[in-house]
């Protein structure tokens, strides 16, 4: 079972998925099949899937612990990357989705109307659905930092999963009515 420190490592490692950032830093991006291990982790993990959406800036990965040399997909953790202030799409997402509650992203175009595309929250849910469909018997949890945690909380609430994350804003303004009702049922007064 993943520890809080493991979740913190995954939230940090999610930033390493961005291919453009990796190229600028002259390193390889984190890819499907990569092994995450080291003294900061309680055990070794394998990257099951990654998403690097160059249309809206969303990066995510799904990992599972390695037990007896193979992936134990009874436990899957989805980690979302947070804001990279060098990525205009992340900054635009912070403004339009996190602050403004708009699930779509309006990308400014010179001399014409903004180009609309699915925002990071929509891509985050598509990735989560893909993981849920690929690993239907898994207990899935989410994590992230900053914008990544905003997305992770959103995905956890929409899917009734657990979340362990760091420094994320409350995504209540984009939650579906079902997710909001689910949260009301578990709140202690």
């Amino acid at each position: 079972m993943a520890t809080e420190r493991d979740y913190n490592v995954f939230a940090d490692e999610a930033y390493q998925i961005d291919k453009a950032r990796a190229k600028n830093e002259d390193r390889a991006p984190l890819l499907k099949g990569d092994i995450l291990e080291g003294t900061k982790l309680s055990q070794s993990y394998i990257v099951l899937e990654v998403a690097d959406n160059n249309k809206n800036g969303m990066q995510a990965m799904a990992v599972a612990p390695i037990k007896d040399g193979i992936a134990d997909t009874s436990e899957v953790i989805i980690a979302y990357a947070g804001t990279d202030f060098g990525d205009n799409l992340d900054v635009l997402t912070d403004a339009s989705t996190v602050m403004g509650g708009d699930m779509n992203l309006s990308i400014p175009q010179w001399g014409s109307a903004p180009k609309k595309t699915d925002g990071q929250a929509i891509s985050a849910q598509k990735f989560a659905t893909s993981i849920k469909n690929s690993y239907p018997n898994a207990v899935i949890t989410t994590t992230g930092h900053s914008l990544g945690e905003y997305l992770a909380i959103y995905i956890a609430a929409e899917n009734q999963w657990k979340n362990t994350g760091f420094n994320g804003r409350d995504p209540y303004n984009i939650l579906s009515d079902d997710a909001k009702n689910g949260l009301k049922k578990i709140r202690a007064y």
Side-chain angles (χ1 to χ4, degrees), residues 114-162:
K115 178 179 150 192
K116 285 264 190 190
T117 189
D118 286 350
Q120 288 193 25
I122 294 169
S123 294
Q125 182 59 55
K126 287 179 181 178
F127 183 73
T129 299
S130 169
I131 297 304
K132 180 170 55 175
N133 291 340
S134 295
Y135 305 98
N137 298 317
V139 173
I140 301 174
T141 56
T142 65
T143 192
H145 171 263
S146 182
L147 169 59
E149 177 58 3
Y150 174 87
L151 296 171
I153 295 169
Y154 166 68
I155 296 306
E158 291 294 336
N159 293 283
Q160 298 179 13
W161 296 338
K162 291 186 178 180

Side-chain angles (χ1 to χ4, degrees), residues 18-169:
D18 186 344
K19 291 178 186 75
R21 183 177 180 172
K23 184 177 180 181
N24 288 340
E25 295 174 358
D26 196 30
R27 62 164 175 78
L30 195 60
L31 301 170
K32 178 180 179 176
D34 284 353
I35 305 297
L36 302 175
E37 57 191 352
T39 58
K40 290 184 177 181
L41 290 168
S42 65
Q43 59 188 321
S44 296
Y45 290 83
I46 186 166
V47 178
L48 300 171
E49 296 290 338
V50 297
D52 185 9
N53 188 315
N54 60 5
K55 292 182 181 173
N56 64 24
M58 193 274 306
Q59 289 92 30
M61 67 177 178
V63 301
I66 298 173
K67 294 187 180 165
D68 299 323
I70 60 170
D72 176 8
T73 57
S74 66
E75 176 187 4
V76 175
I77 299 118
I78 300 175
Y80 293 96
T83 304
D84 174 351
F85 287 101
D87 182 341
N88 291 335
L89 294 172
D90 282 353
V91 175
L92 187 58
T93 297
D94 283 342
S96 65
T97 304
V98 177
M99 300 303 290
D102 188 351
M103 297 277 280
N104 291 304
L105 205 54
S106 295
I107 302 170
Q109 305 291 304
W110 289 103
S112 63
K115 178 179 150 192
K116 285 264 190 190
T117 189
D118 286 350
Q120 288 193 25
I122 294 169
S123 294
Q125 182 59 55
K126 287 179 181 178
F127 183 73
T129 299
S130 169
I131 297 304
K132 180 170 55 175
N133 291 340
S134 295
Y135 305 98
N137 298 317
V139 173
I140 301 174
T141 56
T142 65
T143 192
H145 171 263
S146 182
L147 169 59
E149 177 58 3
Y150 174 87
L151 296 171
I153 295 169
Y154 166 68
I155 296 306
E158 291 294 336
N159 293 283
Q160 298 179 13
W161 296 338
K162 291 186 178 180
N163 169 270
T164 301
F166 310 91
N167 302 326
R169 288 187 54 122

